[in-house]
Amino acid sequence: MQEAPIDAAQAADPGVAASTATRTATHCPYCAMQCAMDVVREPGERVSVEPRASAGRLGLCRKGWSAAELLDHPERLTTALMRDRRDAPLRPVSWDAALDRVAGAIRDCQERHGRDAVGVFGGGGLTNEKAYALGKFARLALRTSAIDYNGRFCMSSAATASQRAFGLDRGLPFPLQDIAATKVLLLVGSNLAESLPTATGLLDEMVGEGGTLIVVDPRATPTARRARLHLQLAPGTDLALANGLLHIAVRDGLIDERFIVERTAGFEGARQRVGAYWPDRVERITGVPVADQRLAVQLLAAAPTGMVLTARGPEQQAQGTDTVQAFINLALALGLAGRPGCGYGCLTGQGNGQGGREHGLKADQLPGYRRIDDPAAREHVAGVWGVDPGSLPGPGRSAWEMLDALGSDGGVRALLVAASNPAVSAPHAGRVAERLAALDFLCVSDPFLSETADLADVVLPVTQWAEEDGTMTNLEGRVVLRRAAGPPPPGVRSDLEVLAGLAERVGAPAGAFPVDPREVFSELTRASAGGKADYGGMSYERLEPEGLFWPCPDPDSLGTPRPFLERFATPDGRARFVAVSHRGPAEPLDAEFPLSLTTGRVLDHYQSGTQTRRTPELADAEPDAFVELHPVLARRHGIEEGDTVWLASRRGSAAGRARLSPDTLVDMVFMPFHWSGEGCVNRLTNPALDPYSRMPEFKHCAVRVDRVEPRDPRRSARR
Ligand code: SF4
């Protein structure tokens, strides 16, 4: 832990009174911006945080400012918990008793059902060290193929499309500051003003410098309201829009032929395919007027620099990979890649969603973004781990497929969950609850009793955020060091200690699971060396003060802020066009379910809300689930502001307070996904999977308004 006496800061601010307080340079526990902050401990005061300037940025959003409340929270778990039977309550037990029970359940399950009957489900908030160790634990200690993580629900379609088009998936293949410098930004399906709040400053900077923002979104979000042009399309029609924009670019001679010839392959197929997406047809599919389509293309084509950024809107669709590819096709055709101020990028959501998929949390990957079915990759990683490559399992099932088969023949029977809350965050939550209940054994590691932990046989209280050192890889591929600002509460252990304790009990090779994050990071750099996400030249010392961009292959490397300037990471160095076609949502609207439900985030909450619903300032600002709907739709159903609206889909029902807004389309409703119980929108969502990324279609399912409970009961009586 590196702490500076606050007196050291007095040179910068002589007005600061001398004290024995400490100030630790670290990063926010929440989203992929990983904003830099200082944790300040003053005697007799509550721990607080302050923004810290790093990499040209300074600032925190409300979530960041209130993060210190997590550190001494009254609901913090500090004792291992165990239940003796499924219907018995959780009771406090010693760490030895808890770990013995987990190890016993693992051994028993594997003896009876085979190695793959034990599964691991990780989270995109885990540090790189913990993600790496969890992946290694699954493959080396458990020798199971059953591992995946909740990042599969977030960025995997963009990751798959980027691999296909560029040979590399690094969320943004350029520094964040390039966004402020670009002249036209096409932002597709991102409400970053609420999901990555401090990134809003980049948009303001860009516009302030004369840049133009174009937003594609079914809702007029706070982000869309900043745009010069808002393309308000029907949910699930993004691919048709992207193909339509490329059609116009080709037809009007706006493509960059030189860039296409020199740096890409496959254009002809894409050009032919978009021939069928003439503007008035695209207007009929998407609802976006022809004039707006034309203006968007003209703005992008005329600008000296331009960018296309996607987020969960186009990605969380049953054809998310192809949808992202369609926007990549557009960027490539306009020559918007491979030079400063230009490019395609994905706005990662979770704090370490990027690092998690680089270091082995995904079912098909080994550290360094290596494929688990690649013999050379297996040999390299097995060499670092000191095992026979043949002993490593092959690829396993994706997150939803694993959850859907829990407790069944051939499925996982004993599940270890770390830093994830699939009971709330997975699609078709009713089915997930049913499958979790069918498990022989469930163990959850979490600092708080999440909804999933509440179902577990064993709950392990683990360290969080500023109680442990570790690295995070932010949305621009910058690896930053997140420092511990103090010891964890008594009774709490780190995930690394948990894995070491379990590994010893299940007979893994001695010493294979170190508990010191620095030692784990050193091993991770060797395991990633030579891979696509090469951390080989990184060390904790080199990550301060501003982090390093991967690839960083050797100790002399300064990292790679813009990996595509000279060539793309494909075998021939050329980016790939792929011809793609619009199919539409997996679950069309019909007379029984005539409305499109889309899901998303709000400013005051993060993911399944395990932390933010427990932070009073955030919970007070946005206490309950809500259903946003258009006033015209509300009138049709007799709904008034604040009524409780029950929505139903083919999978279940959920409810929220009515929030009437003209910002949404008339035949759609929006619900955020941060709440549990009847406010859990994932009771409704459709687990239809993208065929390539295996990502579920969170962004559209068919629903109806089932019933309305008036806020004022007298209104009900009058009807
Ligand atoms: S933008 Fe994200 S990383 Fe920055 S303070 Fe807010 S939640 Fe934390």
Side-chain angles (χ1 to χ4, degrees):
M1 182 176 59
Q2 189 178 56
E3 290 180 342
I6 210 165
D7 304 13
Q10 285 182 284
D13 184 359
V16 176
S19 75
T20 54
T22 58
R23 178 181 291 270
T24 306
T26 188
H27 291 263
C28 177
Y30 294 117
C31 82
M33 291 295 285
Q34 282 300 291
C35 297
M37 59 167 58
D38 282 349
V39 174
V40 181
R41 290 177 179 270
E42 294 188 70
E45 300 287 330
R46 288 194 72 176
V47 181
S48 62
V49 302
E50 293 175 6
R52 174 169 57 83
S54 179
R57 294 186 294 116
L58 172 72
L60 301 173
C61 73
R62 291 211 286 256
K63 290 190 282 281
W65 274 111
S66 59
E69 295 199 29
L70 299 171
L71 293 173
D72 57 358
H73 197 284
E75 290 179 51
R76 181 69 194 282
L77 296 176
T78 55
T79 312
L81 303 171
M82 190 161 87
R83 70 177 92 238
D84 300 317
R85 303 178 316 275
R86 269 291 154 87
D87 57 351
L90 288 164
R91 63 180 174 88
V93 292
S94 70
W95 268 99
D96 274 345
L99 293 177
D100 286 348
R101 171 90 181 271
V102 179
I106 291 170
R107 279 195 304 270
D108 180 55
C109 184
Q110 291 195 318
E111 276 168 22
R112 289 196 292 135
H113 302 290
R115 293 197 172 277
D116 285 351
V118 175
V120 175
F121 197 92
L126 292 169
T127 61
N128 287 316
E129 291 78 356
K130 296 196 287 191
Y132 169 83
L134 198 57
K136 180 180 178 183
F137 179 79
R139 274 79 182 224
L140 190 145
L142 302 179
R143 294 181 58 188
T144 177
S145 69
I147 175 169
D148 214 71
Y149 84 131
N150 62 14
R152 179 77 70 172
F153 299 153
C154 293
M155 288 77 55
S156 54
S157 287
T160 307
S162 292
Q163 291 272 15
R164 192 162 76 173
F166 306 120
L168 189 82
D169 156 39
R170 200 185 82 183
L172 300 181
F174 41 76
L176 270 169
Q177 214 53 38
D178 280 18
I179 296 174
T182 197
K183 288 303 172 195
V184 176
L185 172 58
L186 181 67
L187 191 57
V188 188
S190 169
N191 179 15
L192 61 72
E194 297 197 70
S195 57
L196 304 166
T198 57
T200 313
L202 298 167
L203 301 187
D204 293 342
E205 231 178 289
M206 180 197 72
V207 172
E209 292 293 317
T212 299
L213 176 63
I214 307 169
V215 169
V216 176
D217 201 301
R219 300 169 61 224
T221 63
T223 310
R225 288 199 287 273
R226 289 177 138 79
R228 171 174 166 190
L229 182 60
H230 175 203
L231 307 180
Q232 192 167 15
L233 78 181
T237 64
D238 308 59
L239 197 160
L241 177 67
N243 274 2
L245 299 182
L246 182 52
H247 175 104
I248 292 171
V250 172
R251 185 198 64 186
D252 295 354
L254 298 174
I255 58 174
D256 186 337
E257 290 183 1
R258 183 170 170 188
F259 180 86
I260 292 169
V261 169
E262 291 180 355
R263 300 218 43 196
T264 72
F267 176 65
E268 189 51 27
R271 187 191 68 75
Q272 287 184 17
R273 187 68 58 88
V274 302
Y277 291 80
W278 52 92
D280 54 340
R281 178 182 173 224
V282 170
E283 179 175 329
R284 284 196 298 278
I285 297 171
T286 66
V288 175
V290 170
D292 287 352
Q293 297 174 41
R294 198 180 305 124
L295 178 58
V297 179
Q298 286 168 348
L299 288 167
L300 273 167
T305 55
M307 272 183 193
V308 178
L309 301 180
T310 66
R312 304 305 81 77
E315 297 163 15
Q316 289 177 325
Q317 299 188 20
Q319 55 172 157
T321 301
D322 281 353
T323 303
V324 171
Q325 179 72 53
F327 283 101
I328 292 174
N329 289 346
L330 177 68
L332 292 174
L334 296 173
L336 302 179
R339 57 197 164 95
C342 289
Y344 161 79
C346 155
L347 293 164
T348 298
Q350 291 196 78
N352 201 30
Q354 178 79 42
R357 65 184 186 263
E358 291 167 6
H359 298 301
L361 280 186
K362 266 175 101 176
D364 51 357
Q365 285 176 348
L366 288 173
Y369 224 129
R370 291 179 157 92
R371 289 185 59 93
I372 203 166
D373 57 1
D374 172 3
R378 294 169 66 86
E379 192 171 337
H380 173 85
V381 174
V384 174
W385 291 351
V387 298
D388 176 357
S391 70
L392 300 179
R397 291 174 167 141
S398 73
W400 167 255
E401 291 162 301
M402 188 205 296
L403 294 173
D404 189 38
L406 293 179
S408 65
D409 286 346
V412 164
R413 313 292 292 243
L415 182 67
L416 313 182
V417 176
S420 189
N421 190 11
V424 176
S425 62
H428 196 351
R431 168 78 180 166
V432 172
E434 190 185 300
R435 297 327 305 163
L436 287 169
L439 283 166
D440 295 346
F441 181 77
L442 174 64
C443 171
V444 177
S445 304
D446 205 296
F448 295 97
L449 195 68
S450 70
E451 286 75 7
T452 308
D454 199 30
L455 302 172
D457 298 286
V458 174
V459 181
L460 302 175
V462 288
T463 47
Q464 59 169 335
W465 169 55
E467 298 162 356
E468 57 191 3
D469 286 344
T471 61
M472 304 285 281
T473 304
N474 78 358
L475 77 172
E476 55 186 343
R478 185 195 298 266
V479 184
V480 298
L481 184 55
R482 204 160 74 176
R483 289 281 189 189
V492 168
R493 293 188 184 180
S494 78
D495 291 276
L496 297 179
E497 290 171 314
V498 168
L499 294 176
L502 289 176
E504 185 187 345
R505 285 169 170 81
V506 299
F513 291 91
V515 299
D516 176 10
R518 181 185 292 262
E519 197 179 332
V520 177
F521 188 73
S522 172
E523 184 183 310
L524 178 160
T525 63
R526 296 196 301 281
S528 74
K532 286 183 176 178
D534 190 336
Y535 288 32
M538 295 185 191
S539 63
Y540 273 18
E541 287 70 26
R542 294 200 69 212
L543 294 182
E544 290 189 315
E546 297 196 333
L548 283 167
F549 290 92
W550 67 259
C552 178
D554 57 66
D556 296 326
S557 168
L558 299 176
T560 315
R562 298 181 184 89
F564 301 150
L565 291 181
E566 305 294 330
R567 54 181 282 124
F568 296 99
T570 53
D572 61 6
R574 290 171 176 271
R576 297 282 185 276
F577 285 91
V578 179
V580 291
S581 298
H582 168 74
R583 292 192 301 275
E587 188 174 61
L589 305 183
D590 58 22
E592 195 182 356
F593 297 100
L595 302 172
S596 174
L597 166 73
T598 192
T599 69
R601 299 161 201 258
V602 298
L603 178 63
D604 293 290
H605 289 287
Y606 180 69
Q607 297 297 96
S608 69
T610 301
Q611 298 140 301
T612 53
R613 282 188 277 122
R614 287 180 166 84
T615 302
E617 187 185 327
L618 302 175
D620 289 349
E622 197 69 86
D624 300 313
F626 63 86
V627 177
E628 182 185 277
L629 70 169
H630 196 280
V632 170
L633 179 64
R635 264 199 305 279
R636 261 186 226 155
H637 292 274
I639 298 167
E640 292 187 6
E641 183 81 20
D643 289 352
T644 298
V645 177
W646 282 88
L647 300 175
S649 76
R650 288 184 174 82
R651 291 155 293 281
S653 60
R657 293 259 179 226
R659 192 171 284 183
L660 274 52
S661 169
D663 295 340
T664 194
L665 297 170
V666 172
D667 55 357
M668 67 172 271
V669 289
F670 166 80
M671 267 188 91
F673 60 79
H674 309 292
W675 285 273
S676 61
E678 63 186 36
C680 177
V681 69
N682 281 319
R683 289 173 165 197
L684 304 167
T685 50
N686 185 2
L689 299 182
D690 177 89
Y692 309 106
S693 68
R694 318 305 289 166
M695 185 180 202
E697 186 158 75
F698 289 98
K699 286 299 180 188
H700 165 86
C701 72
V703 299
R704 66 169 178 247
V705 174
D706 221 23
R707 70 176 198 273
V708 180
E709 293 163 5
R711 181 173 204 158
D712 177 358
R714 288 169 302 178
R715 187 156 59 82
S716 171
R718 284 198 300 270
R719 274 193 197 147

